[in-house]
Amino acid sequence: MSEMRIRTARCDDLARINEIYNYYVVNTPVTFDVEPYTMERREAWFSQFATTGRHRLLVAEENEVVIGYAGTTRFRPKAAYEPTVETTVYCAPEAVGKGIGKRLYAELFASLKGEDIHRFVAGYVLPNVATEALHRRFGFKVVGVFRENGRKFGKYWDVCWVERPG
């Protein structure tokens, strides 16, 4: 049995991160991107993360293969929003249901202790029982649902927004 480890993401993880994310772009409504990310776009996205500070990116790795990732990004560009970060978590489709999201979030929140973060926020498409349970487990509370605010696959989707203290 192999052991999973959580570590800071590196540039050489980007192709696998892209592969995981693009699966969800093409096959599910969980992201409202409708076109797969190019590597150029993924590299630009990666530039927002650091090993210290509010914006981090971690990966879960098993047998030297990335099987999931979680991070925190800027919530909005205006300066007053700086102490609020948005979380994201994705698992490789073949690794869903193995507790990877839980391990990633636990490590992510532990790594951010002491940072100037007042609120963590997250949005997820409904229905999404697993993501709802994950966020509830980490103390997120529902603050609202935007009804039919995204259209993908010819259907409108609701998005639930949650938050927790930093």
Side-chain angles (χ1 to χ4, degrees):
M1 179 177 254
S2 61
E3 188 171 317
M4 177 180 28
R5 73 181 189 123
I6 309 293
R7 61 170 174 76
T8 300
R10 305 181 304 245
C11 286
D12 61 344
D13 298 320
L14 292 182
R16 179 63 175 151
I17 288 170
N18 216 32
E19 180 182 341
I20 292 168
Y21 185 76
N22 283 341
Y23 168 85
Y24 292 96
V25 171
V26 171
N27 297 291
T28 77
V30 301
T31 173
F32 284 171
D33 278 316
V34 295
E35 295 292 330
Y37 261 57
T38 63
M39 281 306 295
E40 181 178 87
R41 186 171 174 204
R42 181 61 61 198
E43 289 162 359
W45 170 85
F46 185 68
S47 71
Q48 71 189 301
F49 299 105
T51 56
T52 62
R54 295 181 186 104
H55 307 125
R56 310 275 181 97
L57 184 64
L58 303 178
V59 296
E61 183 180 67
E62 193 172 60
N63 297 324
E64 299 182 21
V65 175
V66 171
I67 56 173
Y69 65 94
T72 48
T73 59
R74 186 176 210 154
F75 173 59
R76 292 205 159 194
K78 295 179 181 172
Y81 287 114
E82 279 296 314
T84 298
V85 296
E86 187 171 349
T87 64
T88 191
V89 59
Y90 283 90
C91 296
E94 68 276 9
V96 169
K98 296 182 179 181
I100 296 163
K102 180 175 69 173
R103 294 263 317 267
L104 279 162
Y105 257 14
E107 188 68 30
L108 179 66
F109 294 127
S111 75
L112 291 164
K113 280 199 185 300
E115 294 296 344
D116 181 23
I117 297 174
H118 185 66
R119 281 284 183 268
F120 292 96
V121 299
Y124 52 86
V125 73
L126 296 174
N128 195 331
V129 175
T131 299
E132 179 183 352
L134 176 68
H135 285 87
R136 192 172 45 248
R137 172 184 209 108
F138 283 93
F140 284 83
K141 304 286 186 215
V142 173
V143 292
V145 175
F146 290 130
R147 301 285 176 204
E148 298 184 350
N149 73 318
R151 185 175 62 198
K152 188 169 181 182
F153 304 134
K155 178 180 175 183
Y156 286 96
W157 300 91
D158 297 344
V159 175
C160 180
W161 280 92
V162 293
E163 70 174 5
R164 68 163 259 191

